[in-house]
Amino acid sequence: MAQETIFSKIIRKEIPSDMVYQDDLVTAFRDISPQAPTHILIIPNKLIPTINDVTAQDEQVLGRLFTVAAKLAAQEGIAHDGYRLIINCNEHGGQEVFHLHMHLLGGRKLGRMLAR
Ligand code: 5GP
């Protein structure tokens, strides 16, 4: 069994967050340490530790991450100028919280994709 992270507590509202969206499959809240004017994390309500753990059963929730990202980008007023979606995986990907999450970043030019 995968171990819960702080994100499960945020989903259950046991600890506070700046939550911007929640439905039966996903939850979205502002990152505690924003790297851009808009920095929202969109996460499955179900605990999936990393992208390596996804299965065919998760296709609906994974699709929902994208439809909610598009909805929130419009809501944040960044859809036209553009934004970046990032999902980090494990050590080389820079993943720190082992509850799969999509970063929605925007509100300024984000520059090149990878740091050298
Ligand atoms: P990762 O590096 O795993 O892709 O990203 C984890 C993200 O979660 C980081 O951007 C970090 O700032 C954010 N984060 C970690 N703990 C908390 C928390 O308790 N609340 C919120 N809102 N964000 C968090």
Side-chain angles (χ1 to χ4, degrees):
M1 255 283 273
Q3 203 153 19
E4 277 196 0
T5 72
I6 197 152
F7 287 0
S8 291
K9 292 192 168 68
I10 288 176
I11 292 165
R12 295 195 296 262
K13 300 181 178 155
E14 290 168 9
I15 62 164
S17 75
D18 189 351
M19 196 176 284
V20 292
Y21 182 87
Q22 188 165 52
D23 65 23
D24 56 324
L25 291 179
V26 306
T27 297
F29 52 92
R30 292 188 196 280
D31 197 291
I32 204 166
S33 174
Q35 305 297 307
T38 290
H39 188 173
I40 292 171
L41 301 175
I42 309 165
I43 74 177
N45 293 338
K46 168 190 172 186
L47 172 52
I48 304 170
T50 79
I51 282 282
N52 289 337
D53 303 301
V54 302
T55 68
Q57 271 82 55
D58 300 320
E59 286 173 3
Q60 194 190 4
V61 67
L62 296 174
R64 186 72 61 85
L65 294 179
F66 282 90
T67 52
V68 170
K71 183 192 179 85
L72 292 176
Q75 218 167 278
E76 293 285 307
I78 60 172
H80 178 266
D81 285 343
Y83 52 91
R84 186 171 292 158
L85 301 175
I86 297 174
I87 300 177
N88 295 321
C89 181
N90 280 343
E91 189 187 348
H92 282 194
Q95 185 174 6
E96 288 174 355
V97 178
F98 289 85
H99 183 133
L100 192 155
H101 49 283
M102 176 185 276
H103 297 255
L104 165 61
L105 294 145
R108 66 168 169 81
K109 280 197 177 179
L110 295 168
R112 60 191 316 143
M113 193 164 71
L114 296 175
R116 297 223 162 183

